[in-house]
Structures are given as structure tokens and as C-alpha cells.
Amino acid sequence: MSQKIVHIVGTGTIGEPLIGLLVAFKDQLGIDEVTFHKRTPLLTDRSKVANLIRRGARFVTDSKAFDAFREIGLHPELETHEALDRASVVIDCTPSGVGSQNKVDYYERFKHNTLGFIAQGSEFGFGKPYARGINDAALDRDADQFLQVVSCNTHNVSVLVHAIALADGGPSNLVNGRFVCIRRANDISQDGSYVPAPEVGSHKDKKFGTHHARDAWHLFQTLGYDLNLFSSALKINSQYMHTIWFSLTLKNKCTAEDVIQRLRANDRIAMTHKKSANSVFSFGRDHGHFGRILNQTVIIEQTIAVRETESGWEVVGFCFTPQDGNPLLSSVAATCWYLDKETYDKRVQCLGPYFFPEV
């Protein structure tokens, strides 16, 4: 494959910033061209599509939508099948469930000449689950043509387990992990799905509670680990950031200072002394890449506490989830891995200015 072309399907809360990020850093990431697909011609989205084109991405849509887009002043360069046929890597950023259907309807037909297909967190079962820095060792270019980048909160749960428990003794050090995902109602870019008051979720999975622990278990299972994880979730009437309360019980004795040192040593983790989601969100707006913090979690340092229990040493604390920032980075890493598995992590370091040691 002579040209390295990355094609993004969808321009929502993940797709739009991902297109912008790939275009801005395509030379450093080893990408020749970025294309993106949008299905529906909407006047409310015209400015977004026009700006992505202005920044250097090539616009793709279905042949039947060409005329409707032209009527609102947007001119597609490529048709859907043509873009898929020439892409080196395809990243699906469509709403929940659409990516898995796209796999059946489109991607299976083009896998003969595409290096890899990547879907986002809601597409459980699309392919091998992946989070940068967690299970890179489990990736296999011969077997893993389809990858599922896990959700933002699953990234957070997983990096907590990885940094606090596994970094000191491996998987046998974790007795259990318990998580309460306190989710924002919707993204600031969305008008719908807002909740007027806290709304609790149900435990649909008898073993794991919610999909966050389930997906984290499957992520670590790619490394051969069978971890004791359970999560709960609720939505609150905020648009800022998800928050997670966590409890990790460890076999090995530790102190709060030990844990904080482990967290500080991990470049995928940002530490903060800020206690409010709005102040952390504001930092990302002012200093992130188009508002995004690319770390996998932001730990509120003064909330870390350790106590001895009958089961072991329990580590508790609070952290914020940089919403689409952590799956954005994993999507870029997975893309670069498909393009060149020998240099992918080195190439991703061009985004280092947006991995913050402190927020």
C-alpha cells in the first residue's frame, strides 16, 4: 500500500476532534491523507464540515447524498465505497450499534486491502478491546484486523487498576476493584439526553454490574488476566466531566504516599489538587488540544487514602475522566500501530505536550 490513508466514519463528539487531530499531526504520525464520511446533509453541521475540509481533510459521503450536500454548499470529493477501498485504516466513530452494523455491511467487504478497522467504546464485540499502554502486548497484526477502543470510563477504570495494583506485583496483587462511575448527563456539544436530577443506573451484568467493569475485564483478559472487578453508574445533571470513585483492595501492603508515587510515575495519568470538575474541564479548554486532555485519568491527589482491611490494603479515591480525550489517543495509537508496528509509540509522542503530569 503506497499511500497511508486514514478514513474516519462519523463527525460526532469523537469523530470531529479525531479528524482535526489526525490532520494537524499527520506528518509526525506518518499519515499521507485523512478522509472523513458524513451521511446526513444538515445546515447546522455545514460549518463543521467546511472547517474540517479547510483544515485539510477530504469529505466523503454516499453517492445518493451528493446533490443534497451540494445544495447546501458542500462538495464531496469521494464516494463511500471508493474511500473505503483506498483506506489503509478505517476508524468508525458512529453512534452506538452503527459501527457493528457497518462491519457487516461494509468493512468485511474491504478487509482484503485494509490494514485495520477501529471502532469506539460502545461497539463491544467489534474486535479485540484496546487501550494504549494497557494491553499493547496483546496486539497481533496477523489476527487483529478489527479493534475496539474501549470507552472513556473503561480507560479510566483500567489505568487505575494497571497503575495502582498491577504495577506492584502484577494481577495477583489485586484482590478486587470496585468503581462508581458518576457520569455527566451529556456532552456540551449535545442538546438532548440531559437529565434534570441524578439518575441511577441498573446492574444489568450479574458478574460485573455495568459495562465499564465488564469491558475492563475483557481488556485485561487479552493479557491472560482474570480480575475481580465490579462497577456501578449514575448520571448527574452536569455537562462537564465524568467522575469515578474507586476502591482497589491489594494484597501487598502500601501507603497513600506509595500509591501517589505510582500514579505520578505513569505518563497516562494526570494529577490535580483541583476538586471540581469545572476547574479541570476549564484547564483542558485552555491548554488541551482543541480542549482535550489526552491523559487517561485525572486523579485528585488529596482524595487518595489507604486503610488496612481483613481482605488486604484498600486504596480509595476520586478521579475525573477526560471524556473523549483518552479514546482519542488510543485511536491514534491503534492507527499508527496498523501503519507501522515498530515505530507507532514513538510517533504518538508528538502528542506529548497534551499528556499533562499535572492539571
Side-chain angles (χ1 to χ4, degrees):
M1 191 170 292
S2 56
Q3 273 201 313
K4 295 180 178 179
I5 301 170
V6 180
H7 179 56
I8 297 94
V9 181
T11 59
T13 56
I14 294 289
E16 181 183 7
L18 181 58
I19 297 163
L21 189 153
L22 291 173
V23 169
F25 291 93
K26 69 183 182 70
D27 292 339
Q28 299 96 314
L29 295 172
I31 297 169
D32 296 311
E33 183 180 297
V34 177
T35 63
F36 70 97
H37 178 277
K38 179 165 176 55
R39 183 183 63 181
T40 308
L42 299 171
L43 284 172
T44 52
D45 288 343
R46 179 169 61 185
S47 58
K48 170 172 67 176
V49 175
N51 192 49
L52 292 172
I53 294 171
R54 182 185 62 80
R55 287 158 65 182
R58 301 183 69 187
F59 174 36
V60 176
T61 193
D62 303 338
S63 56
K64 62 183 180 182
F66 269 51
D67 289 343
F69 273 108
R70 286 168 177 157
E71 287 176 4
I72 64 171
L74 296 172
H75 300 278
E77 292 190 63
L78 299 164
E79 188 271 336
T80 301
H81 295 82
E82 181 184 4
L84 289 171
D85 188 54
R86 64 199 295 275
S88 309
V89 179
V90 175
I91 310 174
D92 192 295
C93 302
T94 54
S96 177
V98 178
S100 295
Q101 191 61 49
N102 283 342
K103 179 180 179 181
V104 175
D105 294 343
Y106 296 102
Y107 306 151
E108 291 285 358
R109 294 160 51 192
F110 292 95
K111 65 181 183 180
H112 63 283
N113 62 344
T114 302
L115 296 174
F117 300 87
I118 303 164
Q120 303 304 312
S122 58
E123 302 303 325
F124 182 74
F126 182 91
K128 178 176 285 184
Y130 173 68
R132 177 183 176 264
I134 302 293
N135 68 328
D136 295 70
L139 297 181
D140 183 344
R141 274 283 293 272
D142 294 327
D144 298 327
Q145 194 175 14
F146 292 89
L147 292 178
Q148 173 217 359
V149 170
V150 297
S151 72
C152 55
N153 277 326
T154 301
H155 270 84
N156 198 338
V157 167
S158 301
V159 78
L160 291 171
V161 171
H162 192 265
I164 294 173
L166 276 57
D168 181 35
S172 63
N173 188 35
L174 181 68
V175 177
N176 61 63
R178 303 291 179 259
F179 309 89
V180 178
C181 300
I182 308 164
R183 304 177 60 211
R184 63 178 184 178
N186 63 353
D187 188 84
I188 57 170
S189 65
Q190 298 170 328
D191 293 321
S193 301
Y194 192 78
V195 297
E199 182 180 284
V200 299
S202 58
H203 296 114
K204 296 181 181 179
D205 192 299
K206 293 182 179 179
K207 181 177 180 181
F208 299 110
T210 68
H211 78 86
H212 310 94
R214 179 203 66 186
D215 291 359
W217 184 90
H218 282 281
L219 185 70
F220 285 108
Q221 201 277 327
T222 65
L223 299 168
Y225 304 161
D226 181 9
L227 303 181
N228 183 354
L229 305 175
F230 192 89
S231 58
S232 302
L234 71 152
K235 285 185 179 181
I236 61 171
N237 47 332
S238 170
Q239 289 186 302
Y240 286 118
M241 301 185 79
H242 303 311
T243 306
I244 292 181
W245 176 87
F246 59 90
S247 166
L248 299 173
T249 300
L250 314 181
K251 288 183 180 179
N252 296 340
K253 181 179 179 180
C254 63
T255 65
E257 289 73 22
D258 295 331
V259 172
I260 290 169
Q261 287 304 314
R262 291 176 207 166
L263 296 170
R264 285 177 176 168
N266 192 313
D267 70 355
R268 286 169 286 119
I269 293 173
M271 304 296 287
T272 190
H273 288 280
K274 298 177 173 67
K275 293 183 179 181
S276 65
N278 64 312
S279 59
V280 174
F281 182 89
S282 178
F283 178 94
R285 179 195 62 187
D286 295 337
H287 302 284
H289 185 269
F290 288 92
R292 271 74 181 182
I293 296 170
L294 298 185
N295 301 76
Q296 291 178 349
T297 185
V298 180
I299 306 283
I300 303 96
E301 185 168 324
Q302 60 268 43
T303 67
I304 299 295
V306 177
R307 68 185 187 114
E308 186 177 5
T309 70
E310 292 182 359
S311 302
W313 298 86
E314 183 187 21
V315 181
V316 298
F318 282 98
C319 57
F320 297 118
T321 302
Q323 280 84 246
D324 47 17
N326 48 32
L328 278 174
L329 182 57
S330 289
S331 294
V332 173
T335 297
C336 292
W337 178 78
Y338 278 125
L339 296 177
D340 187 348
K341 67 178 181 180
E342 301 301 327
T343 65
Y344 78 99
D345 197 56
K346 185 179 295 185
R347 288 187 179 277
V348 170
Q349 297 308 314
C350 68
L351 302 177
Y354 306 105
F355 311 157
F356 298 102
E358 185 174 14
V359 166

